[in-house]
Amino acid sequence: MIGKKIPHSERIYMDHAATTPVAAEVLDEMRHYFNERFGNASTLYFFGNEARDALHEARKSVAKLINASPDEIVFTSGGTESDNTALKGIALTNREKGNHIITSTIEHNAILKTCKFLESQGFDVTYLPADKKGMVDPRDVEKSITDRTIIVSIMHANNEIGTIQPIEEIGRICRSKGVIFHTDAVQSFGKIPIDVKKMNIDMLSASSHKIYGPKGVGCLFARKGVEFVSLIHGGSHEFGKRAGTENVAGIVGFGKACELARKELKNEMERETRLRDMLINGILDNIPDSYLNGHPEKRLPNNVHFRFKHIEGESLVLHLDMKGISASTQSACSSKSLKPSHVLLAIGLSEKDSHGSLRLTLGRDTTEEQIKYLLSVLPETVEYLRKVSPCV
Ligand SMILES: *Cc1c(COP(=O)(O)O)cnc(C)c1O
């Protein structure tokens, strides 16, 4: 098998947490907005109206997925920009009120690096720990809030290990203390139910390319009344919260992707959960010394994350690639320059253990046959690598 050239159409994509293909319906909807309906949404004549209507429809669709109002949705270039806008926007707006920010050690770098930057600008950041399963304790949030706290940012679901946080409870605590609660929901948005009202969410980041929409577009939800300065200055686009001519085609695609996600959410959640559990149980039953990372129940329907003793994650990914499977790892032990995943270290894994990790994330195109193929290939690959492994 090794060395054989596997054509594109026969490859198995198991990295939907990294990105997803654009759905056919999404692309169909988008294509009109490149040439025929090419207008600038800020203009007053026919073509502008057409673009403006399209933006409005997309905004309604995005809002509906999370039970928000269309005027609470600001379109951005994606999850990273939304996270930056939430933290920096609130920090700059509330400097008089306080300089304290609360987040967790397992956040995406779009949050962590932004917090590091804000620390360099005089803000104090509390990084709350996560337990072995990757859960942040709402009581820790409560204990950490002071009268100088301006924002709490805790992700909804972790992009590496898939753990889903108790954000409804965290939101309740923040609301009762009058502190703004932001959540990076890039991995959960469109995959599990989100209701910003019920969950007491003040701000939420989402990204289109993680839900079968195009790359380079996303949104920041900000509840009515939550004030934050814009990071990008210019025209009065996006309610003055994000200047720049809107990426109309991209936003239309994002809107369509949200509509599809909403319609398919329940079925797809059940279908992927079943395949996920088939994969998890198959690995546990057939590969000795394999450990599931993250929470066994409170995890994303599409996330499988394993640690295999005496294995290097990178070698495993490369060997699986040769067998036509595209998967992910965060680490490598042969190259000392590559740091182990901050998430795995945060949930208590040693540097050595964190190196043997494999993330498989399922999607709409994942079939039961693919899971079976994976389960037929993975045990022998792990066994082979253990024999030749330098990680002992
Ligand atoms: C992918 C991801 C982001 C970044 O989103 P982009 O749209 O790629 O910038 C942020 N947070 C989480 C949890 C993610 O998984």
Side-chain angles (χ1 to χ4, degrees):
M1 196 97 192
I2 286 175
K4 199 179 107 182
K5 211 156 163 48
I6 299 166
H8 188 284
S9 61
E10 284 168 31
R11 290 197 171 259
I12 297 176
Y13 184 73
M14 281 287 170
D15 203 13
H16 292 82
T19 195
T20 55
V22 173
E25 298 94 321
V26 169
L27 190 57
D28 273 350
E29 196 82 12
M30 285 174 72
R31 53 169 39 109
H32 306 286
Y33 291 87
F34 287 105
N35 44 16
E36 163 201 343
R37 302 180 203 155
F38 61 89
N40 182 324
S42 302
T43 55
L44 295 175
Y45 43 80
F46 177 84
F47 292 94
N49 289 338
E50 212 169 44
R52 207 156 41 246
D53 288 349
L55 290 185
H56 185 62
E57 286 308 308
R59 213 180 295 281
K60 280 203 292 195
S61 175
V62 174
K64 196 166 174 184
L65 185 54
I66 56 173
N67 192 26
S69 310
D71 57 0
E72 294 175 316
I73 304 295
V74 172
F75 288 118
T76 65
S77 69
T80 302
E81 186 188 322
S82 299
D83 285 346
N84 270 266
T85 305
L87 292 176
K88 292 175 188 165
I90 290 296
L92 293 175
T93 306
N94 294 281
R95 252 190 306 211
E96 300 302 308
K97 196 177 149 213
N99 70 339
H100 182 226
I101 295 166
I102 299 172
T103 187
S104 80
T105 49
I106 57 163
E107 299 294 315
H108 189 275
N109 273 331
I111 292 290
L112 289 180
K113 295 273 171 80
T114 303
C115 284
K116 289 284 168 220
F117 167 75
L118 288 169
E119 278 183 288
S120 79
Q121 302 299 306
F123 290 89
D124 281 335
V125 182
T126 300
Y127 298 90
L128 297 177
D131 68 13
K132 283 192 159 50
K133 292 172 181 165
M135 293 290 260
V136 174
D137 190 339
R139 284 169 302 185
D140 286 344
V141 175
E142 186 155 29
K143 278 185 275 181
S144 306
I145 293 175
T146 71
D147 53 7
R148 308 275 305 152
T149 308
I150 49 176
I151 186 168
V152 170
S153 180
I154 304 288
M155 71 197 321
H156 189 192
N158 186 267
N159 48 301
E160 286 187 45
I161 56 175
T163 302
I164 300 170
Q165 303 299 333
I167 60 164
E168 187 171 337
E169 213 181 323
I170 294 172
R172 197 180 311 123
I173 291 164
C174 293
R175 189 64 57 87
S176 77
K177 302 248 184 189
V179 175
I180 290 163
F181 174 49
H182 166 259
T183 187
D184 174 340
V186 172
Q187 289 291 338
S188 57
F189 181 83
K191 301 203 185 89
I192 56 175
I194 298 178
D195 181 325
V196 290
K197 295 196 175 74
K198 191 168 147 251
M199 292 169 151
N200 310 299
I201 298 167
D202 295 310
M203 301 177 99
L204 173 148
S205 302
S207 175
S208 155
H209 76 97
K210 306 276 172 87
I211 62 155
Y212 310 89
K215 293 172 181 60
V217 57
C219 73
L220 176 65
F221 155 79
R223 190 171 59 83
K224 253 184 227 89
V226 172
E227 294 302 326
F228 62 98
V229 297
S230 173
L231 300 190
I232 315 280
H233 298 95
S236 56
H237 314 85
E238 296 297 307
F239 318 110
K241 295 303 184 197
R242 205 271 187 178
T245 301
E246 296 89 349
N247 170 10
V248 179
I251 291 169
V252 164
F254 184 30
K256 188 69 186 178
C258 288
E259 182 193 322
L260 294 179
R262 187 165 44 79
K263 285 183 182 151
E264 292 169 19
L265 194 135
K266 193 167 172 291
N267 279 341
E268 196 50 29
M269 208 168 94
E270 284 168 12
R271 198 189 73 87
E272 286 181 25
T273 302
R274 191 180 65 80
L275 294 179
R276 177 198 73 186
D277 291 344
M278 189 176 152
L279 184 53
I280 290 176
N281 294 327
I283 291 174
L284 288 172
D285 290 347
N286 294 299
I287 306 180
D289 285 328
S290 56
Y291 305 92
L292 181 69
N293 292 323
H295 202 287
E297 292 105 39
K298 286 171 186 151
R299 74 185 300 131
L300 285 172
N302 71 335
N303 178 290
V304 174
H305 199 291
F306 268 92
R307 175 162 54 92
F308 302 105
K309 256 204 151 61
H310 313 306
I311 291 271
E312 206 186 279
E314 278 226 326
S315 314
L316 187 53
V317 163
L318 295 175
H319 276 76
L320 288 175
D321 189 35
M322 289 190 274
K323 296 180 180 189
I325 297 158
S326 304
S328 159
T329 186
Q330 294 283 326
S331 56
C333 73
S334 56
S335 167
K336 287 282 178 278
S337 62
L338 286 178
K339 278 191 272 175
S341 142
H342 68 271
V343 175
L344 297 182
L345 294 181
I347 61 169
L349 263 62
S350 68
E351 277 205 24
K352 190 161 156 265
D353 280 344
S354 74
H355 286 304
S357 288
L358 179 72
R359 182 184 72 181
L360 300 159
T361 43
L362 289 57
R364 269 181 214 159
D365 46 307
T366 307
T367 63
E368 190 168 324
E369 287 65 43
Q370 292 181 342
I371 300 294
K372 285 182 179 154
Y373 175 67
L374 200 57
L375 285 172
S376 77
V377 160
L378 203 51
E380 64 184 31
T381 310
V382 169
E383 199 186 353
Y384 169 77
L385 287 173
R386 276 180 179 158
K387 272 192 213 137
V388 301
S389 176
C391 298
V392 278

